[in-house]
Amino acid sequence: MSFVFAGFRRPRPGWGLFSFYNPGMTEPAYDDIPVADCLPTMWGWAGLKLRWLTAEDMPALLEIFSDPEVVRYTSLPVHETEADIQRLLDEIQRGFLDGSLFQWGVEIEDRIVGTCTLARINRAHKRAEVGFILGRAFWGRRVMSRAVPLLISFAFDQLRLHRLEADVDPRNTASIRILEKAGFQREGLMRQRYFSAGEWQDGIMYALLAEERGRARG
């Protein structure tokens, strides 16, 4: 199932400029800066931003990833200790360095409340998997409806990808609504694709092509 969680690593030379979102614009603005040593901060509306995760975020990440309900529809285990979170941060750093995984923290009200991810970035085929995970205290506040468009803009404008995919559990209706609102189209059901939490779980494949990005639902 998508890290929905589906929820990276160092850009390689030639990836171009990082994109930054200006809340007053309908499209991301670009700052003429060199390739950085961490992911760029992207600003959304109503005080939301996507930013690089650091060791200082470990308590907030532990609160999020230790909640069984939060990770229920993901392929992630419950993270029970700080050591588990440190391994997560190490994986994010390794992924960023090799360019296959970009994972931002979602910050609201000066605290990390979730993560947004581009995973399995494939430069040859110009595709990646979208993922997001949100702490339970912020459910129902349209947080990911604000964050996912930033992720899409970075994928298509900065990385120049052609296709974004999301593999989501059919029971994860909240994530399905977010994907469909962002313009993702359902492509098919994958029956009993995962064995997680002691049960076989289905997955639905959603995808968004670069030329379809303007079809987001209101």
Side-chain angles (χ1 to χ4, degrees):
M1 60 223 78
S2 181
F3 308 80
V4 183
F5 179 91
F8 294 56
R9 321 180 180 192
R10 186 174 186 172
R12 295 168 180 158
W15 280 23
L17 306 178
F18 282 138
S19 61
F20 292 83
Y21 186 72
N22 183 333
M25 301 178 65
T26 57
E27 295 292 337
Y30 289 86
D31 284 356
D32 189 8
I33 62 172
V35 172
D37 290 329
C38 65
L39 291 171
T41 297
M42 298 188 287
W43 296 83
W45 54 279
L48 177 143
K49 66 180 177 181
L50 305 186
R51 66 164 175 84
W52 183 248
L53 290 165
T54 71
E56 295 180 354
D57 300 313
M58 289 181 65
L61 291 171
L62 181 59
E63 180 180 352
I64 295 165
F65 285 87
S66 64
D67 188 335
E69 285 302 304
V70 169
V71 301
R72 179 183 178 190
Y73 296 127
T74 78
S75 54
L76 296 171
V78 173
H79 290 55
E80 298 178 340
T81 67
E82 288 189 357
D84 293 334
I85 298 301
Q86 184 60 61
R87 283 190 288 272
L88 174 65
L89 289 174
D90 290 345
E91 179 182 353
I92 292 170
Q93 177 66 20
R94 288 193 302 271
F96 175 67
L97 292 174
D98 70 26
S100 64
L101 172 76
F102 291 173
Q103 188 162 348
W104 286 263
V106 180
E107 182 178 298
I108 294 180
E109 300 170 2
D110 297 319
R111 61 183 284 196
I112 291 295
V113 301
T115 67
C116 266
T117 305
L118 292 173
R120 299 181 178 90
I121 300 170
N122 187 313
R123 298 290 290 175
H125 299 289
K126 299 183 182 299
R127 67 172 180 253
E129 294 184 15
V130 170
F132 42 89
I133 193 165
L134 182 65
R136 199 192 310 201
F138 283 78
W139 290 0
R141 294 179 56 174
R142 301 186 64 194
V143 173
M144 287 304 167
S145 293
R146 290 179 271 159
V148 170
L150 299 178
L151 202 65
I152 292 171
S153 292
F154 187 88
F156 288 145
D157 296 331
Q158 168 59 32
L159 302 185
R160 303 292 190 259
L161 299 181
H162 175 70
R163 174 182 167 93
L164 295 177
E165 300 175 348
D167 173 7
V168 58
D169 190 298
R171 299 168 295 181
N172 192 351
T173 55
S175 291
I176 288 173
R177 285 195 299 270
I178 291 167
L179 291 169
E180 291 181 343
K181 182 178 179 180
F184 281 73
Q185 297 185 38
R186 175 172 172 156
E187 294 190 338
L189 174 68
M190 299 171 286
R191 297 176 300 159
Q192 298 186 13
R193 190 163 191 246
Y194 303 96
F195 189 79
S196 181
E199 63 177 2
W200 287 105
Q201 299 180 3
D202 296 341
I204 300 176
M205 175 62 72
Y206 277 84
L208 177 68
L209 303 182
E211 61 263 29
E212 298 170 340
R213 63 183 301 185
R215 302 179 186 175
R217 302 179 184 176

